[in-house]
Short mmCIF file of all heavy atoms in Angstrom, two decimals:
data_model
loop_
_atom_site.label_atom_id
_atom_site.label_comp_id
_atom_site.label_asym_id
_atom_site.label_seq_id
_atom_site.Cartn_x
_atom_site.Cartn_y
_atom_site.Cartn_z
N TYR A 1 6.61 5.19 -3.24
CA TYR A 1 7.99 5.64 -3.11
C TYR A 1 8.67 4.90 -1.96
O TYR A 1 8.02 4.30 -1.09
CB TYR A 1 8.06 7.15 -2.86
CG TYR A 1 7.33 7.62 -1.62
CD1 TYR A 1 8.00 7.83 -0.43
CD2 TYR A 1 5.94 7.81 -1.65
CE1 TYR A 1 7.34 8.25 0.71
CE2 TYR A 1 5.27 8.23 -0.50
CZ TYR A 1 5.96 8.46 0.67
OH TYR A 1 5.30 8.84 1.80
N LYS A 2 10.00 4.92 -1.98
CA LYS A 2 10.75 4.32 -0.88
C LYS A 2 11.61 5.40 -0.21
O LYS A 2 12.07 6.33 -0.87
CB LYS A 2 11.63 3.18 -1.38
CG LYS A 2 12.73 3.58 -2.35
CD LYS A 2 13.66 2.40 -2.64
CE LYS A 2 14.85 2.87 -3.50
NZ LYS A 2 15.87 1.84 -3.67
N THR A 3 11.75 5.26 1.09
CA THR A 3 12.58 6.19 1.84
C THR A 3 13.09 5.50 3.10
O THR A 3 12.32 4.87 3.81
CB THR A 3 11.79 7.47 2.20
OG1 THR A 3 12.62 8.32 2.98
CG2 THR A 3 10.52 7.18 2.95
N ARG A 4 14.38 5.58 3.32
CA ARG A 4 15.01 5.03 4.53
C ARG A 4 14.59 3.60 4.83
O ARG A 4 14.18 3.26 5.93
CB ARG A 4 14.71 5.93 5.73
CG ARG A 4 15.28 7.32 5.62
CD ARG A 4 15.16 8.07 6.92
NE ARG A 4 15.68 9.41 6.80
CZ ARG A 4 15.72 10.27 7.83
NH1 ARG A 4 15.26 9.91 9.00
NH2 ARG A 4 16.22 11.48 7.65
N GLY A 5 14.68 2.76 3.80
CA GLY A 5 14.40 1.35 4.02
C GLY A 5 12.92 1.02 4.16
O GLY A 5 12.57 -0.09 4.60
N ARG A 6 12.05 1.95 3.83
CA ARG A 6 10.61 1.72 3.88
C ARG A 6 9.99 2.02 2.52
O ARG A 6 10.48 2.88 1.79
CB ARG A 6 9.94 2.64 4.92
CG ARG A 6 10.34 2.34 6.36
CD ARG A 6 9.65 1.09 6.83
NE ARG A 6 9.50 1.04 8.26
CZ ARG A 6 9.56 -0.07 8.97
NH1 ARG A 6 9.81 -1.20 8.37
NH2 ARG A 6 9.36 -0.07 10.27
N ILE A 7 8.92 1.32 2.20
CA ILE A 7 8.15 1.63 0.98
C ILE A 7 6.76 2.06 1.42
O ILE A 7 6.12 1.42 2.26
CB ILE A 7 8.07 0.40 0.05
CG1 ILE A 7 9.47 0.08 -0.50
CG2 ILE A 7 7.09 0.65 -1.10
CD1 ILE A 7 9.53 -1.16 -1.37
N TYR A 8 6.31 3.19 0.86
CA TYR A 8 5.01 3.74 1.21
C TYR A 8 4.14 3.88 -0.03
O TYR A 8 4.65 4.10 -1.13
CB TYR A 8 5.15 5.12 1.87
CG TYR A 8 5.89 5.11 3.19
CD1 TYR A 8 7.24 5.39 3.27
CD2 TYR A 8 5.20 4.82 4.38
CE1 TYR A 8 7.91 5.39 4.47
CE2 TYR A 8 5.86 4.81 5.59
CZ TYR A 8 7.22 5.10 5.64
OH TYR A 8 7.87 5.08 6.85
N VAL A 9 2.83 3.77 0.17
CA VAL A 9 1.86 4.09 -0.86
C VAL A 9 0.97 5.21 -0.30
O VAL A 9 0.24 4.99 0.68
CB VAL A 9 0.99 2.87 -1.23
CG1 VAL A 9 -0.05 3.27 -2.29
CG2 VAL A 9 1.85 1.73 -1.73
N ASP A 10 1.06 6.38 -0.88
CA ASP A 10 0.19 7.50 -0.48
C ASP A 10 -1.03 7.52 -1.40
O ASP A 10 -0.91 7.46 -2.63
CB ASP A 10 0.92 8.83 -0.60
CG ASP A 10 1.96 9.03 0.50
OD1 ASP A 10 1.94 8.23 1.47
OD2 ASP A 10 2.78 9.96 0.39
N CYS A 11 -2.21 7.59 -0.81
CA CYS A 11 -3.47 7.60 -1.55
C CYS A 11 -4.01 9.03 -1.51
O CYS A 11 -4.39 9.52 -0.42
CB CYS A 11 -4.47 6.63 -0.94
SG CYS A 11 -3.80 4.98 -0.71
N GLU A 12 -4.04 9.67 -2.65
CA GLU A 12 -4.45 11.06 -2.71
C GLU A 12 -5.91 11.16 -3.12
O GLU A 12 -6.30 10.60 -4.15
CB GLU A 12 -3.54 11.82 -3.70
CG GLU A 12 -2.07 11.79 -3.27
CD GLU A 12 -1.11 12.22 -4.36
OE1 GLU A 12 -1.62 12.60 -5.46
OE2 GLU A 12 0.11 12.15 -4.15
N GLY A 13 -6.70 11.84 -2.31
CA GLY A 13 -8.12 12.00 -2.63
C GLY A 13 -8.92 10.76 -2.28
O GLY A 13 -8.59 9.97 -1.41
N ILE A 14 -10.02 10.57 -3.03
CA ILE A 14 -10.95 9.47 -2.75
C ILE A 14 -10.44 8.19 -3.42
O ILE A 14 -10.03 8.21 -4.58
CB ILE A 14 -12.37 9.82 -3.27
CG1 ILE A 14 -12.90 11.04 -2.54
CG2 ILE A 14 -13.32 8.65 -3.09
CD1 ILE A 14 -14.18 11.61 -3.14
N TYR A 15 -10.48 7.08 -2.69
CA TYR A 15 -10.09 5.79 -3.25
C TYR A 15 -10.87 4.68 -2.55
O TYR A 15 -11.50 4.91 -1.51
CB TYR A 15 -8.58 5.57 -3.08
CG TYR A 15 -8.16 5.24 -1.65
CD1 TYR A 15 -7.92 3.92 -1.26
CD2 TYR A 15 -8.04 6.25 -0.70
CE1 TYR A 15 -7.55 3.62 0.05
CE2 TYR A 15 -7.67 5.96 0.61
CZ TYR A 15 -7.43 4.63 0.97
OH TYR A 15 -7.08 4.34 2.26
N ASP A 16 -10.85 3.49 -3.13
CA ASP A 16 -11.55 2.34 -2.57
C ASP A 16 -10.56 1.52 -1.74
O ASP A 16 -9.68 0.86 -2.28
CB ASP A 16 -12.14 1.49 -3.72
CG ASP A 16 -13.03 0.35 -3.20
OD1 ASP A 16 -12.74 -0.18 -2.11
OD2 ASP A 16 -13.98 -0.02 -3.90
N TYR A 17 -10.71 1.56 -0.43
CA TYR A 17 -9.78 0.89 0.48
C TYR A 17 -9.68 -0.61 0.18
O TYR A 17 -8.59 -1.17 0.09
CB TYR A 17 -10.24 1.11 1.92
CG TYR A 17 -9.45 0.38 2.98
CD1 TYR A 17 -8.33 0.96 3.55
CD2 TYR A 17 -9.84 -0.88 3.42
CE1 TYR A 17 -7.60 0.29 4.53
CE2 TYR A 17 -9.12 -1.56 4.40
CZ TYR A 17 -8.00 -0.97 4.94
OH TYR A 17 -7.29 -1.64 5.91
N ASP A 18 -10.83 -1.26 0.02
CA ASP A 18 -10.83 -2.72 -0.22
C ASP A 18 -10.15 -3.05 -1.54
O ASP A 18 -9.42 -4.06 -1.63
CB ASP A 18 -12.26 -3.26 -0.21
CG ASP A 18 -12.89 -3.20 1.18
OD1 ASP A 18 -12.13 -3.25 2.17
OD2 ASP A 18 -14.13 -3.08 1.28
N GLU A 19 -10.40 -2.24 -2.57
CA GLU A 19 -9.78 -2.49 -3.88
C GLU A 19 -8.27 -2.36 -3.80
O GLU A 19 -7.53 -3.19 -4.35
CB GLU A 19 -10.35 -1.51 -4.91
CG GLU A 19 -9.80 -1.73 -6.32
CD GLU A 19 -10.28 -0.67 -7.30
OE1 GLU A 19 -10.56 0.47 -6.87
OE2 GLU A 19 -10.33 -0.98 -8.51
N VAL A 20 -7.79 -1.35 -3.11
CA VAL A 20 -6.35 -1.12 -3.00
C VAL A 20 -5.67 -2.26 -2.24
O VAL A 20 -4.64 -2.79 -2.67
CB VAL A 20 -6.06 0.24 -2.33
CG1 VAL A 20 -4.59 0.37 -1.98
CG2 VAL A 20 -6.46 1.37 -3.26
N THR A 21 -6.25 -2.66 -1.11
CA THR A 21 -5.64 -3.75 -0.34
C THR A 21 -5.67 -5.05 -1.12
O THR A 21 -4.71 -5.85 -1.07
CB THR A 21 -6.33 -3.93 1.01
OG1 THR A 21 -7.74 -4.11 0.84
CG2 THR A 21 -6.08 -2.74 1.91
N GLU A 22 -6.74 -5.28 -1.89
CA GLU A 22 -6.80 -6.50 -2.72
C GLU A 22 -5.72 -6.49 -3.78
O GLU A 22 -5.07 -7.52 -4.04
CB GLU A 22 -8.20 -6.61 -3.37
CG GLU A 22 -8.39 -7.89 -4.14
CD GLU A 22 -9.78 -8.01 -4.75
OE1 GLU A 22 -10.73 -7.40 -4.21
OE2 GLU A 22 -9.91 -8.69 -5.78
N CYS A 23 -5.48 -5.34 -4.40
CA CYS A 23 -4.41 -5.23 -5.40
C CYS A 23 -3.04 -5.49 -4.77
O CYS A 23 -2.20 -6.21 -5.32
CB CYS A 23 -4.43 -3.85 -6.05
SG CYS A 23 -5.83 -3.53 -7.14
N LEU A 24 -2.81 -4.90 -3.62
CA LEU A 24 -1.51 -5.03 -2.96
C LEU A 24 -1.26 -6.46 -2.48
O LEU A 24 -0.11 -6.92 -2.45
CB LEU A 24 -1.40 -4.07 -1.78
CG LEU A 24 -1.36 -2.58 -2.13
CD1 LEU A 24 -1.40 -1.72 -0.87
CD2 LEU A 24 -0.11 -2.25 -2.94
N GLN A 25 -2.32 -7.18 -2.15
CA GLN A 25 -2.19 -8.57 -1.69
C GLN A 25 -1.78 -9.52 -2.82
O GLN A 25 -1.54 -10.69 -2.55
CB GLN A 25 -3.47 -9.05 -1.03
CG GLN A 25 -3.66 -8.51 0.39
CD GLN A 25 -4.89 -9.06 1.06
OE1 GLN A 25 -6.02 -8.79 0.64
NE2 GLN A 25 -4.70 -9.84 2.10
N LYS A 26 -1.72 -9.02 -4.05
CA LYS A 26 -1.29 -9.85 -5.17
C LYS A 26 0.13 -9.50 -5.65
O LYS A 26 0.57 -10.00 -6.68
CB LYS A 26 -2.29 -9.68 -6.34
CG LYS A 26 -3.64 -10.28 -6.04
CD LYS A 26 -4.61 -10.15 -7.22
CE LYS A 26 -5.93 -10.83 -6.92
NZ LYS A 26 -6.89 -10.68 -8.02
N VAL A 27 0.82 -8.65 -4.89
CA VAL A 27 2.16 -8.24 -5.29
C VAL A 27 3.20 -9.08 -4.54
O VAL A 27 3.32 -8.98 -3.31
CB VAL A 27 2.41 -6.75 -5.01
CG1 VAL A 27 3.83 -6.35 -5.40
CG2 VAL A 27 1.40 -5.89 -5.78
N PHE A 28 3.91 -9.94 -5.27
CA PHE A 28 4.93 -10.76 -4.65
C PHE A 28 6.06 -9.88 -4.12
O PHE A 28 6.47 -8.92 -4.77
CB PHE A 28 5.49 -11.78 -5.64
CG PHE A 28 4.50 -12.82 -6.04
CD1 PHE A 28 4.33 -13.16 -7.38
CD2 PHE A 28 3.75 -13.50 -5.10
CE1 PHE A 28 3.42 -14.14 -7.78
CE2 PHE A 28 2.84 -14.48 -5.47
CZ PHE A 28 2.67 -14.80 -6.80
N GLY A 29 6.55 -10.23 -2.94
CA GLY A 29 7.57 -9.44 -2.27
C GLY A 29 7.02 -8.74 -1.04
O GLY A 29 7.77 -8.37 -0.14
N ILE A 30 5.69 -8.53 -1.01
CA ILE A 30 5.05 -7.89 0.14
C ILE A 30 4.67 -8.95 1.17
O ILE A 30 3.98 -9.91 0.83
CB ILE A 30 3.80 -7.10 -0.28
CG1 ILE A 30 4.17 -5.94 -1.21
CG2 ILE A 30 3.04 -6.59 0.94
CD1 ILE A 30 2.97 -5.16 -1.74
N VAL A 31 5.11 -8.77 2.42
CA VAL A 31 4.68 -9.69 3.47
C VAL A 31 3.61 -9.07 4.37
O VAL A 31 2.89 -9.78 5.07
CB VAL A 31 5.87 -10.19 4.33
CG1 VAL A 31 6.87 -10.94 3.48
CG2 VAL A 31 6.52 -9.06 5.07
N GLY A 32 3.53 -7.73 4.38
CA GLY A 32 2.52 -7.08 5.19
C GLY A 32 2.14 -5.72 4.64
O GLY A 32 2.98 -4.99 4.11
N ILE A 33 0.85 -5.38 4.76
CA ILE A 33 0.33 -4.08 4.30
C ILE A 33 -0.26 -3.40 5.53
O ILE A 33 -1.21 -3.91 6.13
CB ILE A 33 -0.75 -4.27 3.22
CG1 ILE A 33 -0.20 -5.10 2.04
CG2 ILE A 33 -1.29 -2.93 2.75
CD1 ILE A 33 -1.27 -5.91 1.33
N CYS A 34 0.30 -2.27 5.91
CA CYS A 34 -0.12 -1.60 7.14
C CYS A 34 -0.83 -0.29 6.80
O CYS A 34 -0.18 0.65 6.32
CB CYS A 34 1.09 -1.29 8.02
SG CYS A 34 2.11 -2.74 8.37
N PRO A 35 -2.14 -0.21 7.04
CA PRO A 35 -2.83 1.09 6.89
C PRO A 35 -2.34 2.06 7.97
O PRO A 35 -2.39 1.74 9.15
CB PRO A 35 -4.32 0.73 7.09
CG PRO A 35 -4.39 -0.77 7.00
CD PRO A 35 -3.06 -1.28 7.45
N VAL A 36 -1.86 3.20 7.55
CA VAL A 36 -1.14 4.11 8.44
C VAL A 36 -1.88 5.43 8.58
O VAL A 36 -2.42 5.95 7.59
CB VAL A 36 0.28 4.37 7.89
CG1 VAL A 36 0.96 5.51 8.63
CG2 VAL A 36 1.13 3.11 7.98
#
């Protein structure tokens, strides 16, 4: 979702951190992925 000029990805429950970051690193338009 996006809010106030920011885009966030909320991960609910158990997920694979490396898999998610690898997927996001293939999305054009993203310059940085910040684990928050």
Side-chain angles (χ1 to χ4, degrees):
Y1 59 97
K2 65 172 186 172
T3 177
R4 296 190 181 181
R6 293 286 205 214
I7 293 176
Y8 295 97
V9 178
D10 287 348
C11 308
E12 299 166 3
I14 298 170
Y15 74 100
D16 186 329
Y17 175 89
D18 291 332
E19 182 185 27
V20 169
T21 54
E22 185 179 333
C23 290
L24 293 174
Q25 283 183 294
K26 292 181 176 178
V27 178
F28 292 132
I30 295 177
V31 299
I33 304 151
C34 307
V36 169

